[in-house]
Amino acid sequence: MASTTRHVLVTGGAGYIGSHTLVELLAVSQSGPIKYVPVILDNLSNSCEGNDEAARIPESVKRVGELASWDPIFHQVDLCDIDAVRQVFSKYPFHSVIHFAGLKAVGESVAKPLRYYQVNLIGAMNLMQVMDEFNVRNIIFSSSATVYGTPEKLPIPEDHPVGNCTNPYGMTKFMIEKFLMDQCKAKPDFNAVILRYFNPVGAHSSGRIGEDPRGAPNNLMPYITQVAIGRRPFLSVFGSDYDTTDGTGVRDYIHVVDLANGHVAALKLFEREKPVGCAVYNLGTGQGCSVLEMVTAMREASKVEIAYKVVDRRAGDVASVYGDPSKAAEELGFKATKTLKDMCEDSWRWQQQNPQGFNCS
């Protein structure tokens, strides 16, 4: 059977989730009837540029190429520069887009709301406008469970009310979802798959790629591993008096490789004869894990004591957030399979092999 080639634009492909998705996308291409050709667009605002001055390939993408025996196609472009985006679209016959690019730190968004609205919203609007100009009709959007705001019930289903966001980051995700839904209504042949993530953690099992935040980590797992490796003295645990099993906040953590495979499953929707329209899916495990449970699991994986201090709650934090992933299982055939032990062991392997992250600043 002859293979079908699909060019896929991956915005933010040099980032944490983007790079892991590239690995899984390339693996499917090697074994299946569809050959995906990823084209990466990234402005490197939160990625390591690498040491190859001639090719200017980001270090994460270079390592993906080594893992997948692949020659990366990379364009250093900012989505806010619409003419540069047009130039990329003019070079390739794109079948679909996976849109990861955007600013993503909740705390920073509270301090710099205008920057988040400018970068995330203008970038998404430019992307959608150029897609329309070049008749590209399929997009997967990297959304977030932050669109649900404070949960009214648990586990959170996709039809839970959205838009009551507690920070500007979440509000940008909600607004981009609305852009996509309105475009689907206006253009019957436009297909959008919105993936609402819960809390991505972990790393590729090789230890070659993983989460490498610039500055102090905003997420729990990289902060714990940096404490374990000695880069930070202790973990701050924000609150110990929540109505949970041990008093600390509970979240739904999903391994980044599972998350990447969720994107591959979503991409296959565009191969069906029936139009997708606008479809929304939670990507999570459906199970909650507390901060102290994560600390204990990492202690077991690393064999290192994790120092922590309990401090005051953060404004806006809620006791428990975890999703209902059953719709993705039923309609995408996707289910997270990796355990908390896998998440911690893979994160620790990445941190041990890369104590300073990609370390190519």
Side-chain angles (χ1 to χ4, degrees):
M1 181 184 295
S3 64
T4 301
T5 299
R6 301 293 197 203
H7 284 76
V8 181
L9 179 67
V10 184
T11 74
Y16 174 47
I17 302 172
S19 59
H20 286 81
T21 299
L22 289 171
V23 173
E24 302 309 314
L25 195 60
L26 292 163
V28 167
S29 298
Q30 292 173 356
S31 59
I34 299 174
K35 178 179 173 58
Y36 293 108
V37 180
V39 177
I40 303 158
L41 182 155
D42 202 300
N43 69 358
L44 302 185
S45 65
N46 194 38
S47 302
C48 180
E49 191 168 301
N51 298 311
D52 189 343
E53 291 298 327
R56 298 186 67 81
I57 301 295
E59 183 65 20
S60 58
V61 175
K62 178 182 175 183
R63 294 190 187 189
V64 169
E66 294 168 356
L67 288 169
S69 300
W70 165 67
D71 292 326
I73 305 172
F74 172 75
H75 295 272
Q76 185 173 347
V77 168
D78 193 315
L79 285 176
C80 291
D81 183 348
I82 194 168
D83 289 333
V85 177
R86 287 190 179 107
Q87 289 178 19
V88 174
F89 271 75
S90 70
K91 297 176 186 291
Y92 309 96
F94 288 123
H95 171 264
S96 49
V97 173
I98 305 179
H99 181 36
F100 294 110
L103 300 176
K104 63 178 186 177
V106 169
E108 183 184 54
S109 78
V110 174
K112 301 176 181 179
L114 296 182
R115 182 166 183 253
Y116 270 68
Y117 288 124
Q118 180 182 41
V119 171
N120 291 2
L121 300 186
I122 292 176
M125 286 191 288
N126 284 348
L127 176 63
M128 291 173 63
Q129 180 175 329
V130 176
M131 286 179 65
D132 199 44
E133 292 172 5
F134 284 82
N135 200 34
V136 179
R137 290 292 184 252
N138 304 311
I139 185 170
I140 296 171
F141 174 52
S142 164
S143 191
S144 164
T146 56
V147 301
Y148 295 122
T150 301
E152 295 181 1
K153 58 181 177 179
L154 294 171
I156 304 172
E158 285 86 353
D159 61 1
H160 184 285
V162 294
N164 188 24
C165 306
T166 60
N167 55 75
Y169 162 76
M171 185 57 72
T172 66
K173 292 294 187 183
F174 167 70
M175 293 175 74
I176 295 168
E177 286 192 8
K178 189 69 169 65
F179 295 168
L180 293 168
M181 291 176 183
D182 287 346
Q183 183 74 336
C184 286
K185 290 178 183 177
K187 306 273 186 178
D189 61 342
F190 185 80
N191 301 303
V193 179
I194 294 168
L195 301 179
R196 293 174 179 160
Y197 311 160
F198 282 77
N199 295 71
V201 295
H204 191 266
S205 59
S206 66
R208 292 290 290 153
I209 58 173
E211 188 169 11
D212 183 24
R214 288 191 174 182
N218 292 292
N219 300 323
L220 177 63
M221 179 66 89
Y223 212 109
I224 291 177
T225 59
Q226 289 189 14
V227 171
I229 205 72
R231 284 176 62 179
R232 302 193 180 275
F234 62 87
L235 170 73
S236 293
V237 176
F238 296 100
S240 61
D241 57 352
Y242 288 107
D243 184 17
T244 60
T245 54
D246 59 24
T248 63
V250 168
R251 298 293 183 267
D252 186 344
Y253 296 96
I254 179 171
H255 197 294
V256 68
V257 173
D258 277 334
L259 189 63
N261 281 311
H263 290 78
V264 175
L267 200 57
K268 292 177 181 178
L269 283 180
F270 301 142
E271 300 301 328
R272 300 178 184 177
E273 292 184 7
K274 183 180 177 181
V276 174
C278 193
V280 180
Y281 299 98
N282 286 335
L283 293 188
T285 64
Q287 299 178 346
C289 172
S290 76
V291 174
L292 291 185
E293 286 172 337
M294 183 67 82
V295 169
T296 298
M298 181 54 73
R299 184 188 299 126
E300 292 173 355
S302 66
K303 311 303 181 190
V304 173
E305 189 62 34
I306 311 295
Y308 68 87
K309 293 182 181 180
V310 175
V311 297
D312 292 340
R313 294 186 185 189
R314 290 180 297 193
D317 274 355
V318 297
S320 298
V321 179
Y322 53 94
D324 178 355
S326 60
K327 185 181 177 185
E330 293 166 5
E331 298 185 11
L332 298 180
F334 167 77
K335 186 175 181 180
T337 61
K338 293 186 178 292
T339 64
L340 180 60
K341 183 172 182 285
D342 296 327
M343 299 174 199
C344 291
E345 288 181 348
D346 290 341
S347 293
W348 181 236
R349 185 179 303 108
W350 152 256
Q351 191 70 82
Q352 278 191 303
Q353 293 185 20
N354 305 269
Q356 301 299 320
F358 290 114
N359 195 29
C360 54
S361 56

